Amino acid sequence: MASTPNLPATPKISSVRVTAANTSSQGGGTIGTDIFLAGTIGASGTFVDRVRFSPTATTPTSTTATVARVFYSTQSSGATANTNTFLLGELTLPSVSADNASASAPVFDLPVNINLPTGYYILVTNHAAPAANTAWVATMIGADY
């Protein structure tokens, strides 16, 4: 047992726009096409606190209701499969009005609370295709060791 605790030291935040549908909850897909890289684990590991989903739009538009999924994976590019990409959790994302002039859009957090070693990545998907002019932005929030 260590005589001093190893605490996260450097805040880490990274985001990706989720712009396409992926109906698999088993981690299959192509990174950048239907499964998206939300975060890279640091050289000494990373504590991933949560992944926040924020609705965005280029004009006042309602988003498509969907299920967001968060995975950890050994893949950062190319194809993923259920042998290298694993579900951490799901979150229901309702249809909300985004890009309004007088009302703010809510954000939705999926608590992750996991320590991951270097060599892993956080990937995200949404089950339904986004409505025209909209996307969900997934933001990994954590800290590197």
Side-chain angles (χ1 to χ4, degrees):
M1 182 172 201
S3 60
T4 58
N6 184 17
L7 302 173
T10 306
K12 182 168 205 132
I13 187 168
S14 57
S15 298
V16 66
R17 289 172 42 94
V18 183
T19 58
N22 182 325
T23 60
S24 173
S25 64
Q26 295 187 349
T30 301
I31 296 174
T33 301
D34 62 356
I35 190 166
F36 299 89
L37 179 63
T40 300
I41 303 307
S44 297
T46 298
F47 174 74
V48 181
D49 180 59
R50 65 187 174 273
V51 176
R52 172 169 287 169
F53 290 87
S54 306
T56 63
T58 57
T59 61
T61 309
S62 292
T63 64
T64 301
T66 190
V67 173
R69 295 186 177 100
V70 176
F71 303 87
Y72 72 97
S73 180
T74 57
Q75 302 298 116
S76 64
S77 63
T80 61
N82 64 2
T83 56
N84 57 31
T85 303
F86 305 95
L87 184 66
L88 285 170
E90 296 181 325
L91 183 66
T92 300
L93 299 176
S95 177
V96 297
S97 296
D99 192 34
N100 286 309
S102 61
S104 62
V107 296
F108 301 89
D109 285 353
L110 178 69
V112 177
N113 298 318
I114 191 170
N115 294 304
L116 286 173
T118 189
Y120 283 87
Y121 306 90
I122 296 295
L123 304 177
V124 295
T125 64
N126 53 230
H127 191 89
N133 303 315
T134 72
W136 286 93
V137 173
T139 302
M140 183 190 84
I141 301 167
D144 286 342
Y145 290 98

